[in-house]
Amino acid sequence: MKQPVGHYAYESRDREFLQERIAEFEDQVKRRLSGALSEEEFKPLRLMNGIYLQVHAYMLRVAIPYGILDSRQLRKLAHVARRYDRGYGHFTTRQNIQFNWISLEDAPAILRDLAEADMHAIQTSGNCIRNITSDEYAGAARDELMDPRVHAEILRQWSTLHPEFTFLPRKFKIAISGSPEDRVAARFHDIGLLARPSENGPLFRVFVGGGLGRTPVVGQELFDSVPEAELLATLEATLRVYNAYGRRDNLYRARIKILVQTIGIEPFREAVKAELAKMDLSHYRLTPERVAAIRARFAAPELHAVDDADAVLAQHQKEDPAFARWMQSNTHPHFDEGYSIATVSLKTPGDIPGDVTAEQMDGLADIAERFAFSELRVTHLQNIVLGHVRKDQLYALWQGLKELNLAAPNIGLAGDIVSCPGLDYCTLANARSLPLARKLGARFGDARLQEEIGALSINISGCINACGHHHAGHIGILGVDKRGSEFYQILLGGQAGDRASIGAILGPALSEDDAVAAIARMIDHYLAHRNEQESFLEMVTRLGKAPFKEVAYETV
Amino acid sequence: MKRLSHLSPNECVLLTAARLLDGRIVWRGRDGQWFDHVAQAACLTAEESEAALEEASTQAARQGVMGVYPVVARKGEPPQPVSMKEHIRAFGPTVHPEFSYVPQSEASS
């Protein structure tokens, strides 16, 4: 089979291992169903294979390494949705996909089907290193400093089944970007890596101790310039310090961010250096040959731009204003002048953010095959990116997306809402997030209005665990439970990226309808009082939260 | 969850669990059997629910269910769980009417 563009590659031993693992799990499932294993005994085993027990059924979370899929894999996910679920999949803020209606007795068969397409659900749960996430524009963006997929793949191989880090104090999330602007929320990860090239090879800026959840913290710089050869040793030393000193007696104080906050970044850095001094660095050294072998898997596709691509594109935009609007919001400059990066919004107004039907998955797989070298990237903002699309073919691509009802022109705008599944599906949630997301999506669904409002992120979480990244939204919404009723706390001024900051709570929690109305008034206030070219976030930064609070609560 | 000792006259206690095989929500009927629909759940007094819970927990593994616990509901046909979480468990996710466990007309609380 022709290897897809920019993709990890399994070897025969990987496939053999997966089959052995599935057989082992199948036996565990049989023993659970026969009663030989209690739920208490079985729970850690199913979680190690990505199976959660949620509100209505078992949920399966499938790993999508650094968000990259090929058409074959997306069709396999569509098959799982159609055959074993209720025709849907939900893309998550960790670039994975979840199926909400799984039967335990089907789980081994699903894992076997996924393995046929080199996919699994290992390390999508539990206190281990989770899926490595990366920049959705990797290997394609004009502004990229370095393709992060090469080292994301190295980290995937290093962290998969790492025996020393299978039982950490708590889960551990790593993100890597090679862009001058942090597109992966590196400072909100346990470890965030920003890669850049230098005369002497790649260098990595390492952030540690970031995270959202119950205790939101912006990560701190651990090292400014780790050379490529020392990358794995540095990560291993960092995890060893965490593994040794991270708390195991209190679930809510067990993440590395608490350790770093407790002892301070300087003592933490010294502990990592001390650990490094004890290690045989040659054992971890990434040699140029090893890196080159992996880089070969991420070579750029053979691009064949046509001479008049820009003219053809300009003509299409002139003839169809709706397409022109989509181009404005949903594309990003490609390193090749004849190509573009296209983002497919999974936030059709009124629909559930991140949800995709089996038919849409199959349709997207076809589109990727036709226009984008069969390659797709799931973003941590719950959209899909097609990395390499010829400019003269963008109009045909957009028409294909329209047929799938996936052509919303709202990337980075008010309708591009990030949301966790909330109380409708999640046992941890205190309130529903999806109905609110749908209401806000519909309220701001008009493309012209979104264009007028400009850059605005609205992030919604149904509980304090913050899977919807509400602390990092320009407007964040947190669902809370007040004596059995749902209320929503509004946060203001959060952002990921280079100037990562945590949103400030605006005031008392509101009912769902009041929260929607309050947000609408805040946006109206912004539109009425902004300076020229001033974004919503810039105005919040300039004026603080007071004027927004005033309008938000004026009729409550 | 609302305390069982603070039930109002129009409230009762239901017993619920998850089915081992597929994780689906089930409700305990008067005869001790488990049903898919909340309409078939036994509406118990707080005193009745204590004994029923003990019995159901003992029998759970044999009956292929897990995680048995009590839920406060308003009496009715069908009973309406008081908390939003239990309401969603009883009637299905609110964002997909096609996945509802009972007709929408019965799901409104």
Side-chain angles (χ1 to χ4, degrees):
Chain A
M1 186 191 74
K2 190 182 171 190
Q3 190 62 42
V5 169
H7 205 284
Y8 62 86
Y10 273 14
E11 296 171 6
S12 58
R13 62 178 174 172
D14 297 311
R15 297 194 175 96
E16 285 165 18
F17 166 76
L18 273 193
Q19 292 304 324
E20 288 168 12
R21 175 74 173 243
I22 294 165
E24 180 185 62
F25 185 56
E26 188 167 37
D27 181 58
Q28 292 162 349
V29 169
K30 276 182 190 160
R31 286 192 286 151
R32 175 67 185 116
L33 293 177
S34 73
L37 286 177
S38 68
E39 180 58 17
E40 191 181 8
E41 291 167 323
F42 180 65
K43 185 178 176 182
L45 303 175
R46 67 169 162 76
L47 288 175
M48 288 170 113
N49 290 282
I51 311 278
Y52 290 69
L53 182 59
Q54 289 287 25
V55 171
H56 304 284
Y58 292 97
M59 179 269 278
L60 173 66
R61 182 180 293 156
V62 180
I64 302 177
Y66 33 96
I68 290 192
L69 286 169
D70 59 42
S71 291
R72 171 193 59 133
Q73 291 177 315
L74 189 53
R75 288 197 184 98
K76 188 63 81 175
L77 294 172
H79 159 77
V80 170
R82 190 176 287 120
R83 177 161 179 184
Y84 301 104
D85 196 89
R86 294 190 174 184
Y88 285 87
H90 177 78
F91 287 109
T92 76
T93 52
R94 290 283 302 153
Q95 299 181 311
N96 291 322
I97 189 168
Q98 295 180 177
F99 296 101
N100 286 318
W101 299 93
I102 296 303
S103 174
L104 182 58
E105 62 179 344
D106 288 337
I110 299 171
L111 295 177
R112 208 162 264 127
D113 286 354
L114 290 170
E116 286 175 3
D118 296 343
M119 301 182 84
H120 62 69
I122 298 167
Q123 289 178 221
T124 60
S125 176
N127 296 335
C128 55
I129 302 173
R130 302 288 188 88
N131 189 33
I132 309 295
T133 55
S134 189
D135 186 335
E136 61 264 28
Y137 298 159
R142 192 174 300 166
D143 59 1
E144 182 171 273
L145 301 172
M146 206 180 106
D147 186 345
R149 294 174 302 176
V150 177
H151 295 87
E153 169 60 12
I154 288 168
L155 296 184
R156 182 188 74 84
Q157 294 187 20
W158 163 75
S159 62
T160 300
L161 304 173
H162 194 307
E164 197 176 333
F165 305 134
T166 301
F167 298 100
L168 292 166
R170 207 57 188 97
K171 59 187 169 184
F172 203 91
K173 299 174 181 176
I174 301 175
I176 179 168
S177 175
S179 161
E181 51 172 309
D182 170 6
R183 276 194 285 260
V184 298
R187 291 160 182 83
F188 284 135
H189 281 76
D190 295 292
I191 287 181
L193 299 168
L194 299 181
R196 66 183 190 276
S198 78
E199 285 179 7
N200 299 314
L203 294 172
F204 298 87
R205 194 173 176 201
V206 181
F207 292 89
V208 69
L212 299 171
R214 186 175 294 265
T215 312
V217 180
V218 176
Q220 300 179 74
E221 187 179 280
L222 182 62
F223 299 113
D224 173 57
S225 303
V226 173
E228 181 178 73
E230 294 173 18
L231 177 64
L232 290 187
T234 302
L235 296 184
E236 189 124 341
T238 305
L239 273 141
R240 280 185 179 174
V241 171
Y242 170 52
N243 213 5
Y245 298 107
R247 287 182 66 167
R248 293 175 187 269
D249 62 330
N250 183 338
L251 183 70
Y252 305 122
R253 310 282 297 165
R255 296 289 290 268
I256 194 173
K257 61 189 172 188
I258 304 297
L259 176 63
V260 174
Q261 292 283 302
T262 303
I263 69 173
I265 187 68
E266 271 305 324
F268 186 87
R269 186 181 294 118
E270 290 309 311
V272 174
K273 284 180 180 173
E275 188 62 39
L276 275 167
K278 287 190 279 185
M279 293 164 66
D280 175 7
L281 297 185
S282 65
H283 178 67
Y284 300 95
R285 191 173 302 281
L286 280 173
T287 63
E289 294 75 25
R290 282 180 70 186
V291 176
I294 290 176
R295 180 168 286 117
R297 297 177 188 172
F298 294 94
E302 290 181 23
L303 304 177
H304 299 289
V306 294
D307 290 339
D308 62 345
D310 278 317
V312 171
L313 176 60
Q315 186 62 29
H316 288 148
Q317 289 182 267
K318 190 177 169 187
E319 288 168 1
D320 195 330
F323 171 63
R325 185 170 288 117
W326 180 85
M327 276 295 303
Q328 182 71 27
S329 56
N330 290 41
T331 59
H332 187 85
H334 192 276
F335 67 79
D336 187 298
E337 286 288 347
Y339 281 75
S340 196
I341 301 171
T343 302
V344 181
S345 171
L346 304 185
K347 322 289 177 60
T348 302
D351 279 358
I352 294 173
D355 261 22
V356 188
T357 66
E359 290 69 32
Q360 287 174 322
M361 286 188 235
D362 278 336
L364 280 171
D366 292 344
I367 281 175
E369 212 162 65
R370 189 171 157 207
F371 297 109
F373 302 91
S374 297
E375 183 226 58
L376 311 97
R377 300 110 182 265
V378 181
T379 83
H380 77 285
L381 301 176
Q382 301 176 290
N383 293 309
I384 296 278
V385 162
L386 302 170
H388 314 278
V389 184
R390 251 172 53 185
K391 281 182 174 174
D392 58 307
Q393 295 183 334
L394 280 163
Y395 190 53
L397 166 74
W398 175 75
Q399 288 172 315
L401 293 175
K402 272 210 309 182
E403 286 177 19
L404 296 172
N405 197 28
L406 291 174
N410 60 10
I411 297 302
L413 304 177
D416 190 6
I417 295 168
V418 172
S419 177
C420 70
L423 191 56
D424 275 303
Y425 291 102
C426 178
T427 53
L428 298 175
N430 292 320
R432 290 173 295 164
S433 48
L434 299 178
L436 183 55
R438 292 172 88 171
K439 277 187 185 173
L440 286 167
R443 177 88 181 225
F444 300 107
D446 180 77
R448 286 201 187 94
L449 174 61
Q450 290 191 60
E451 197 174 64
E452 190 187 348
I453 296 167
L456 177 63
S457 64
I458 301 177
N459 295 1
I460 310 173
S461 301
C463 79
I464 203 162
N465 292 300
C467 293
H469 296 182
H470 62 277
H471 302 104
H474 301 165
I475 295 175
I477 303 170
L478 168 65
V480 295
D481 177 293
K482 284 189 178 179
R483 293 189 292 278
S485 297
E486 300 164 297
F487 281 83
Y488 297 89
Q489 206 171 62
I490 298 175
L491 293 84
L492 196 62
Q495 59 178 319
D498 299 336
R499 285 175 286 182
S501 60
I502 293 158
I505 296 171
L506 203 59
L510 303 168
S511 70
E512 183 180 288
D513 286 340
D514 283 346
V516 172
I519 288 166
R521 285 195 296 275
M522 285 160 56
I523 291 174
D524 284 345
H525 181 75
Y526 157 68
L527 290 174
H529 299 281
R530 64 182 167 184
N531 290 335
E532 199 176 345
Q533 303 292 316
E534 186 177 48
S535 71
F536 180 86
L537 186 62
E538 285 165 348
M539 184 166 155
V540 170
T541 305
R542 176 168 62 87
L543 298 177
K545 70 178 185 180
F548 292 94
K549 180 175 181 176
E550 194 175 319
V551 296
Y553 290 91
E554 68 183 13
T555 64
V556 176
Chain B
M1 194 193 74
K2 185 168 180 175
R3 288 173 187 274
L4 300 185
S5 56
H6 292 167
L7 291 184
S8 60
N10 69 337
E11 290 177 336
C12 66
V13 180
L14 316 178
L15 293 189
T16 186
R19 194 158 57 206
L20 169 62
L21 197 62
D22 53 14
R24 300 297 151 82
I25 294 141
V26 287
W27 304 89
R28 194 166 192 261
R30 277 279 169 199
D31 60 357
Q33 298 302 304
W34 293 94
F35 297 96
D36 288 355
H37 297 291
V38 69
Q40 293 167 283
C43 227
L44 308 171
T45 64
E47 294 73 30
E48 287 173 332
S49 73
E50 281 182 30
L53 178 62
E54 193 176 331
E55 183 184 86
S57 299
T58 308
Q59 297 174 346
R62 190 169 52 77
Q63 293 185 310
V65 301
M66 55 190 165
V68 184
Y69 66 92
V71 169
V72 176
R74 280 189 292 279
K75 293 172 186 171
E77 298 292 337
Q80 304 279 335
V82 171
S83 78
M84 178 53 74
K85 180 174 184 175
E86 294 307 330
H87 194 269
I88 290 170
R89 289 183 77 252
F91 298 110
T94 60
V95 287
H96 280 293
E98 70 272 33
F99 298 161
S100 175
Y101 300 139
V102 295
Q104 284 298 291
S105 56
E106 295 178 20
S108 57
S109 55

